[in-house]
Amino acid sequence: NNHAVQQSTSLTYTPQPSDVGGTLSVLLQPQRTDVSSFHNGEGCQEAYAFSKSIELPPENYIINLRPTWVAPRTETEHEHNVRIMTFNILADQNAFRAPGVVTHFYQSYVEAKILHRHRRMPLILQEILAYQADVICLQEVDRFVYERLLSPTLRHLGYEGFYSAKQSEGNNEG
């Protein structure tokens, strides 16, 4: 079927059921936006047509397993099994290149307001606690977040914690 699937300036595309069987073509138009050499890309476009038909993305089986992973454990399971969780919580220094300015890597698909600490950290803490892990290993933890949120909350729930800062210049996370 030959129909326009998406006409957008977005850098991402997620197939919809109505797109299945169609083909995807992309027209790229480079642009320079700095004032000294503004160019809108007119005449410099490149077109690409993908040869494979559009398919729906595969089912996310990890999401389907989550209910099992967060299910309350029986006393026997708690006695005989150790539940270990590891989670990268994305340090602010890696999410933002300047206050409120999202790092280039994320800016094409994540709005800055979604990455702000005051929104993310309560959700992350809720996710961590949902797993009822015996051992929690976290990466990219801002020292401030560890000292003001994670350590006191987890200590109150019976966990002991240790913060290990990265040993390179300019790093404020561990």
Side-chain angles (χ1 to χ4, degrees):
N1 69 39
N2 291 325
H3 66 278
V5 174
Q6 180 175 351
Q7 293 182 0
S8 172
T9 58
S10 173
L11 298 177
T12 62
Y13 164 69
T14 302
Q16 301 302 309
S18 61
D19 301 337
V20 172
T23 57
L24 181 66
S25 298
V26 179
L27 179 66
L28 301 175
Q29 184 167 327
Q31 296 182 349
R32 290 192 178 147
T33 56
D34 61 340
V35 179
S36 63
S37 62
F38 179 80
H39 187 275
N40 69 0
E42 194 66 40
C44 300
Q45 299 95 335
E46 290 187 37
Y48 296 91
F50 294 87
S51 58
K52 290 192 171 193
S53 296
I54 296 172
E55 299 175 1
L56 289 178
E59 186 176 350
N60 186 338
Y61 293 105
I62 298 297
I63 294 295
N64 294 338
L65 292 172
R66 186 181 184 280
T68 303
W69 294 340
V70 300
R73 295 188 287 173
T74 65
E75 195 171 307
T76 304
E77 288 172 317
H78 201 56
E79 279 181 24
H80 299 294
N81 297 312
V82 174
R83 191 177 280 188
I84 300 172
M85 167 195 211
T86 183
F87 197 11
N88 183 318
I89 68 170
L90 182 62
D92 280 353
Q93 75 175 35
N94 299 331
F96 299 97
R97 63 178 176 222
V101 181
V102 176
T103 302
H104 181 71
F105 177 78
Y106 298 108
Q107 84 188 70
S108 64
Y109 61 92
V110 178
E111 294 178 43
K113 68 181 182 181
I114 290 173
L115 291 175
H116 284 291
R117 179 188 308 161
H118 68 273
R119 181 188 182 281
R120 283 187 312 121
M121 289 307 140
L123 295 172
I124 288 170
L125 185 58
Q126 180 182 9
E127 187 71 10
I128 290 167
L129 296 177
Y131 286 87
Q132 307 162 51
D134 298 300
V135 178
I136 301 169
C137 305
L138 302 174
Q139 299 84 43
E140 290 195 34
V141 179
D142 292 279
R143 182 178 291 278
F144 177 86
V145 170
Y146 177 77
E147 291 173 353
R148 298 289 180 102
L149 175 67
L150 297 173
S151 180
T153 304
L154 294 172
R155 191 174 337 113
H156 176 74
L157 296 170
Y159 289 93
E160 293 180 32
F162 176 75
Y163 180 85
S164 177
K166 287 189 177 174
Q167 298 300 313
S168 57
E169 192 172 320
N171 263 317
N172 297 316
E173 50 104 347

